[in-house]
Amino acid sequence: MLLAIPLLPLLGFLINASFGRRISKAAAGAVACGAMLASFAIAVASVVRLASLEPDSRAIVSRAFTWISSGDFTADFTLRLDPLAAVMILVVTGIGTLIHVYSTAYMHEETAPEYARYFSYLNLFAAFMLLLVLGSNFLVMFVGWEGVGLCSYLLIGFWFEKRSASDAGKKAFIVNRIGDFGFVLGVLLAFVRFGTIDFQQIARAAAPMSPEAGFGTISIITLLLFVGATGKSAQIPLYVWLPDAMEGPTPVSALIHAATMVTAGVYMIGRNAVLFAHAPATLTVVAVIGTATALMAGTIALVQNDIKRVLAYSTVSQLGYMFLAMGVGAYAAGIFHLFTHAFFKALLFLGSGAVIHALGGEQDLRRMGGLKRDLPITYWTFLIGSIAIAGVPGFAGFFSKDEILFRTFASGHAALWTVGLLTALLTAIYMFRIVFLAFFGERPPEPVAPAHPEEEEPAAKGGHATGPTHLAHPTHLHDAPPAMALALIVLAIGSVLAGYASLGGRFERFLEPSFAPERVEEVADRGLELTLTAVSIAAALGGIAIAAYFFLKNRRAADRMAERFAGVRRLLQNKYYVDEIYNGAIVQPIRIVSENALWKAIDVRVIDGAVNGVGEAVTGASDILRRLQTGSVRAYAASLFLGVVLILGYYLWP
């Protein structure tokens, strides 16, 4: 049954990739959605069976075959379902199924071959992610790890005729290769140190060891693994690919940001929790990087005007929260936020897609407004997602974010807690900025030119096919079609109810065997917990109030604030100029060295010169030798006579 979970989406990929040009769009969509739904059903059945086992033996293992056997090294193709993997497969198959269903309506304008190609990529993405989370060793995980990287390239650049889309796909692929280089080195060093790449064997070998006082081998291993995580999960310094990933279709953004690729780094640390727990220095790095990423992305999201780009930076920020939890040793809290975030972030992206769909491809918040009346389903579901991510009590985000902040403060990281609380405030502000700008007020009758040319978003605004740029406002707006509305409503329900899974510590206790032998510490100071919770609630409600004042009640105040802090706004609008710094410090030097030294000097002069020199030498020798082949019988007879004379003369000479 475990093998069937990734194999069914893989089968859907093979059918649509092979026969997509011969079947209808309805058939292609049915194949893709059916494969995901069947995978979800098997995942639920497997998790139910897993939950029936005793906590200490809560694991289901399926060994398919021995993949590599060389000397003492053996790597089996084995899948393992434990509580951590159970949470992940439910997220990937459950959220993934809803995104597939949503896509059947969102992508309806595509031609049949392109429609089938899209769903084949979507199925393949899910299959690789399921393989990643079910793999029992680093090698199986690595296949899924690289597979989701490939699929991100294919899906982000799906509309490859747009230059911006193809560039964004390449950027995601290259940046992730940088992170994966560190990941591979970490896996190799882990094998050298422990003699195995199996997660359970490494955990058992590391468990008796004392945590490293300094920066030893385990710290180096975990730091290299974390480099890979910064690429997949878009953390400093390798986060720059994720905002550009908005060039893909909106359901792709939802799948990447909520259920698959960007959660891989967080999951990988959770899977190796025992190893990371023995490297306190690395955990400190993880916590600091996560916190810095959360704050930086939150500030950038405040001033972005592309609705999807705001959500993209929101994802980077929320992933920072997850890494903060991992860095302070609150592994269950980090995974719980991953779980709740999957619901409300998928909801928010799909809600933005419904807005873009209704507006004929428009993504600029400055050209929206008053959509509450015309798009009631989209509005109410998007509002629920915004409330959830802001951390309002009773909604999913409150439970998981509050738990992370509490664990951070209780572990003695007051500075990180302060930054995390500030990030929570920023989250509420920028999310309700979207709500008030898009759904309240009035839509401008004509497109609004940016106040400053540099504020224009570089991303194409296209929503379908090869992406129209700025379309005229449709005269009649339509709410989400049934397939899209179904996904939005189900995700909205999840954004409310998912948080209650943690009540009574049930979620932590369920995950505890996956992080063994590190036990979940009970925190006895309930007074402190209630105080921190009250502060967290105040930050969420305060952020909503600030957004309401500036973007609902008094937008002129927001304009005056932007003018007063024009330099800061420009800095945030240009994303701290990180892309420009990377381009000037890394990309252009590499291009110059590649062009002038590697290409013109080594390639053209040395390599081509050597190859061409051999050819010229052969050609010159051939010119000389071919003069001996004249075709004249008299010349050949004279040569023969001369040769005989010379030979006889040599032997007869006294």
Side-chain angles (χ1 to χ4, degrees):
M1 291 179 71
L2 292 186
L3 285 171
I5 295 173
L7 282 179
L8 284 168
L10 180 62
L11 179 61
F13 157 74
L14 292 174
I15 293 173
N16 275 326
S18 301
F19 307 106
R21 294 182 177 276
R22 302 183 183 88
I23 60 179
S24 66
K25 292 199 289 186
V31 167
C33 295
M36 287 300 300
L37 187 61
S39 181
F40 174 65
I42 296 176
V44 170
S46 300
V47 173
V48 170
R49 180 185 171 193
L50 179 75
S52 66
L53 302 176
E54 293 297 323
D56 292 338
S57 59
R58 196 166 277 170
I60 301 172
V61 180
S62 174
R63 178 181 174 276
F65 54 88
T66 298
W67 188 359
I68 298 175
S69 180
S70 178
D72 296 333
F73 174 71
T74 301
D76 294 329
F77 191 93
T78 303
L79 305 184
R80 187 176 189 273
L81 179 66
D82 66 353
L84 177 57
V87 172
M88 295 300 297
I89 64 170
L90 290 179
V91 168
V92 175
T93 57
I95 305 295
T97 299
L98 293 173
I99 293 172
H100 277 68
V101 172
Y102 178 99
S103 296
T104 59
Y106 189 86
M107 300 295 289
H108 74 280
E109 293 183 5
E110 298 293 330
T111 63
E114 294 300 292
Y115 194 82
R117 179 169 70 91
Y118 169 82
F119 277 105
S120 69
Y121 292 167
L122 222 58
N123 271 175
L124 186 63
F125 205 157
F128 276 127
M129 187 65 193
L130 290 166
L131 186 65
L132 187 156
V133 300
L134 287 171
S136 69
N137 58 59
F138 274 115
L139 194 58
V140 178
M141 171 186 273
F142 187 69
V143 175
W145 188 274
E146 292 300 300
V148 294
L150 167 65
C151 292
S152 68
Y153 165 75
L154 296 174
L155 284 167
I156 294 170
F158 178 76
W159 289 314
F160 56 85
E161 293 182 8
K162 287 195 304 181
R163 175 66 181 270
S164 57
S166 60
D167 286 348
K170 289 185 288 186
K171 186 175 183 179
F173 191 82
I174 293 170
V175 171
N176 273 277
R177 297 291 73 71
I178 297 171
D180 292 351
F181 180 71
F183 182 76
V184 170
L185 291 179
V187 172
L188 294 175
L189 186 56
F191 171 71
V192 172
R193 177 64 180 81
F194 297 103
T196 180
I197 57 173
D198 184 88
F199 295 129
Q200 299 305 307
Q201 293 179 16
I202 291 176
R204 284 194 291 268
M209 300 178 181
S210 300
E212 292 183 340
F215 204 82
T217 304
I218 295 180
S219 296
I220 297 175
I221 293 171
T222 52
L223 187 61
L224 288 170
L225 294 177
F226 177 60
V227 170
T230 61
K232 279 290 180 288
S233 296
Q235 297 295 285
I236 294 173
L238 300 179
Y239 71 93
V240 291
W241 68 271
L242 193 56
D244 288 357
M246 298 303 98
E247 291 294 332
T250 301
V252 171
S253 302
L255 189 64
I256 292 176
H257 286 246
T260 56
M261 183 170 171
V262 298
T263 63
V266 180
Y267 166 78
M268 185 270 294
I269 293 180
R271 174 55 67 205
N272 295 280
V274 175
L275 198 61
F276 276 82
H278 286 73
T282 299
L283 286 181
T284 301
V285 173
V286 172
V288 171
I289 291 293
T291 307
T293 304
L295 179 62
M296 182 200 67
T299 56
I300 294 175
L302 283 174
V303 299
Q304 298 300 306
N305 293 314
D306 186 312
I307 186 172
K308 287 175 63 178
R309 196 166 284 262
V310 176
L311 296 177
Y313 280 106
S314 171
T315 299
V316 176
S317 182
Q318 296 304 307
L319 288 166
Y321 260 107
M322 299 174 203
F323 280 103
L324 168 61
M326 295 299 181
V328 299
Y331 304 113
I335 297 300
F336 184 49
H337 194 53
L338 183 156
F339 173 70
T340 60
H341 177 264
F343 285 96
F344 53 73
K345 187 49 62 69
L347 171 61
L348 292 169
F349 265 110
L350 297 185
S352 71
V355 171
I356 296 167
H357 192 269
L359 296 179
E362 183 59 75
Q363 296 180 204
D364 196 324
L365 287 167
R366 295 167 296 182
R367 300 186 178 101
M368 299 180 188
L371 299 179
K372 176 183 176 181
R373 297 183 300 273
D374 298 306
L375 311 177
I377 296 176
T378 302
Y379 165 70
W380 286 107
T381 53
F382 194 94
L383 179 63
I384 290 173
S386 299
I387 294 173
I389 194 174
V392 174
F395 292 78
F398 164 74
F399 295 94
S400 56
K401 188 180 296 185
D402 184 69
E403 182 68 15
I404 292 175
L405 291 174
F406 171 60
R407 294 284 180 180
T408 301
F409 191 90
S411 62
H413 297 85
L416 298 183
W417 173 83
T418 303
V419 177
L421 186 67
L422 176 59
T423 303
L425 176 70
L426 296 176
T427 302
I429 294 174
Y430 66 66
M431 283 310 308
F432 276 84
R433 173 176 175 260
I434 295 179
V435 173
F436 296 138
L437 291 181
F439 295 99
F440 289 81
E442 298 295 333
R443 295 168 62 208
E446 297 293 338
V448 178
H452 303 283
E454 66 269 16
E455 294 178 7
E456 186 67 21
E457 296 291 347
K461 310 296 186 205
H464 298 285
T466 56
T469 52
H470 298 294
L471 301 182
H473 287 313
T475 56
H476 176 69
L477 298 181
H478 58 85
D479 206 350
M484 295 167 61
L486 173 64
L488 293 175
I489 292 170
V490 173
L491 289 170
I493 295 172
S495 297
V496 176
L497 300 180
Y500 293 92
S502 68
L503 292 182
R506 289 193 299 265
F507 198 88
E508 285 191 20
R509 287 196 298 272
F510 178 70
L511 285 177
E512 189 176 3
S514 297
F515 305 137
E518 298 295 319
R519 314 300 293 179
V520 177
E521 297 180 1
E522 291 294 331
V523 180
D525 194 346
R526 296 303 176 189
L528 175 64
E529 184 174 6
L530 292 175
T531 302
L532 295 177
T533 299
V535 175
S536 177
I537 294 172
L541 298 179
I544 296 173
I546 292 172
Y549 174 76
F550 282 108
F551 305 110
L552 182 62
K553 299 295 184 182
N554 193 353
R555 294 191 181 181
R556 291 184 178 179
D559 295 335
R560 289 195 297 269
M561 184 71 71
E563 293 175 0
R564 183 177 180 183
F565 298 98
V568 175
R569 185 174 186 273
R570 190 175 299 109
L571 178 67
L572 299 179
Q573 190 77 39
N574 289 280
K575 293 93 68 179
Y576 294 102
Y577 297 97
V578 172
D579 281 306
E580 289 79 4
I581 293 172
Y582 283 0
N583 184 63
I586 300 175
V587 176
Q588 291 306 318
I590 291 176
R591 186 190 65 80
I592 292 171
V593 171
S594 299
E595 181 178 341
N596 296 326
L598 299 180
W599 172 38
K600 294 181 179 179
I602 297 178
D603 192 14
V604 174
R605 296 182 181 179
V606 178
I607 299 176
D608 288 353
V611 173
N612 294 337
V614 171
E616 291 172 359
V618 171
T619 301
S622 300
D623 287 339
I624 296 173
L625 293 174
R626 126 180 121 190
R627 298 179 186 279
L628 300 177
Q629 300 291 331
T630 63
S632 171
V633 175
R634 287 181 296 178
Y636 294 160
S639 299
L640 181 61
F641 177 75
L642 180 60
V644 170
V645 170
L646 291 174
I647 292 171
L648 290 176
Y650 174 78
Y651 283 107
L652 296 177
W653 190 267

